[in-house]
Amino acid sequence: MKTYALYNLKGGVGKTTSSINLAFLAAKEGHKTLIWDLDPQGASSYILKQKTKASLANFLSSSNKWKKAIDKTDYKNLFIVGSNINNRHVDIELSTAGRSTKRFKPLLSDLKSDFDYVFIDCPPSLGLAAENVFRVADFILVPMIPAQLSEHSLDQVISFFKEKNYDHRKLIPFFNLVDLHRKIHTDTIERFKKKKRRMLNAFIPYSAQVEKMALEQAPLQHFSNKSKASTSYRNLWQELKWFRKLK
């Protein structure tokens, strides 16, 4: 089982849409795939019409409740653990649970024989939930809008990893919501290339079709399979599968 976390310290960079589209592509290939919606906003849960939105606090006390929280979606091989607004207290729950940065490991270990891929849709925070994710994920995919503040945010996370002695090689950025007509976007992409920063080559363009995912309550490939953004996600997924072999 491979675990990918979609994470960024900044909000509004496309973590949810990327989680859903990458997970859908994995499931479409026949892999049993789980999305774990860890964000209290529950955007992944909403788009995939997930009904049972259990609080993470319940999972920490019972592995049986954890597995019972896994729901089918409308798509073959694609499952979800939903979120609700109570997960805004997750760092408080973890701080009182003991082994506060290692509580997610047994949860995911329970799923090794059940799933091929897990995608974690993370909230934009740097608390105990994030540290749990950093420990258990095989890779942390960092969607970035190509602008200076996104680069600054990435540098902050890399510094945090080094400070905590986490494996910063897990961090795999990629550009999202890219508008090649905007000079700041093209300049940022070019600057990254010159610095030879470790990241995925494929990027996701800004697209109204991606924004329609919330309206359609469906993965992009389900209702707009031939769009440029859909093709870009397929390219990203193919590169990601190859990239993981380099670790």
Side-chain angles (χ1 to χ4, degrees):
M1 185 179 81
K2 286 291 180 183
T3 301
Y4 296 99
L6 275 293
Y7 173 83
N8 195 313
L9 191 53
K10 283 178 59 63
V13 296
K15 295 184 295 295
T16 293
T17 51
S18 296
S19 297
I20 292 172
N21 288 319
L22 292 172
F24 179 83
L25 289 169
K28 193 175 180 180
E29 291 179 349
H31 303 292
K32 199 171 179 185
T33 305
L34 176 70
I35 294 177
W36 182 5
D37 188 356
L38 200 55
D39 194 327
Q41 295 182 72
S44 286
S45 303
Y46 176 79
I47 291 173
L48 292 176
K49 305 175 187 176
Q50 196 264 353
K51 306 299 183 190
T52 307
K53 300 180 178 69
S55 171
L56 181 60
N58 294 331
F59 306 158
L60 298 177
S61 61
S62 171
S63 59
N64 289 331
K65 290 181 179 179
W66 163 239
K67 286 200 170 185
K68 287 179 180 178
I70 297 173
D71 279 351
K72 294 180 180 179
T73 69
D74 293 339
Y75 310 100
K76 185 178 180 181
N77 298 318
L78 186 60
F79 299 79
I80 184 168
V81 172
S83 181
N84 68 19
I85 196 66
N86 289 332
N87 282 342
R88 71 190 188 279
H89 300 307
V90 62
D91 283 339
I92 297 174
E93 299 287 350
L94 288 166
S95 68
T96 60
R99 294 171 56 83
S100 58
T101 64
K102 300 178 180 179
R103 296 306 299 254
F104 290 2
K105 186 174 181 179
L107 297 179
L108 290 177
S109 294
D110 284 346
L111 303 180
K112 284 186 176 179
S113 60
D114 299 320
F115 290 96
D116 301 306
Y117 291 105
V118 175
F119 290 84
I120 307 175
D121 183 7
C122 301
S125 65
L126 200 55
L128 291 174
E131 290 197 64
N132 271 270
V133 169
F134 297 159
R135 286 180 178 274
V136 299
D138 294 296
F139 289 103
I140 295 112
L141 309 180
V142 186
M144 297 174 53
I145 299 172
Q148 183 63 41
L149 285 178
S150 290
E151 187 172 2
H152 174 64
S153 175
L154 176 63
D155 288 338
Q156 286 180 303
V157 175
I158 291 173
S159 295
F160 182 81
F161 265 63
K162 291 179 178 178
E163 176 188 334
K164 294 287 187 174
N165 203 28
Y166 295 144
D167 186 358
H168 67 275
R169 294 172 301 173
K170 289 183 177 184
L171 292 165
I172 311 297
F174 67 92
F175 286 122
N176 196 20
L177 302 174
V178 176
D179 183 353
L180 294 178
H181 294 100
R182 297 185 64 185
K183 190 173 185 299
I184 190 171
H185 284 203
T186 56
D187 286 351
T188 301
I189 292 171
E190 188 60 31
R191 184 169 65 252
F192 264 67
K193 288 180 179 178
K194 287 181 179 179
K195 289 183 177 180
K196 297 182 179 180
R197 300 195 70 153
R198 186 172 183 259
M199 67 185 307
L200 296 170
N201 291 313
F203 65 85
I204 310 302
Y206 173 80
S207 170
Q209 292 300 307
V210 175
E211 291 184 334
K212 282 180 67 177
M213 286 175 61
L215 180 64
E216 298 288 341
Q217 285 190 277
L220 178 65
Q221 293 82 6
H222 182 71
F223 66 89
S224 185
N225 189 49
K226 295 183 180 180
S227 65
K228 185 175 181 181
S230 187
T231 299
S232 297
Y233 270 115
R234 287 194 291 272
N235 292 339
L236 188 71
W237 174 235
Q238 292 304 317
E239 185 182 358
L240 182 59
K241 289 191 297 182
W242 171 82
F243 196 94
R244 67 185 174 88
K245 296 176 183 177
L246 299 181
K247 192 172 187 289

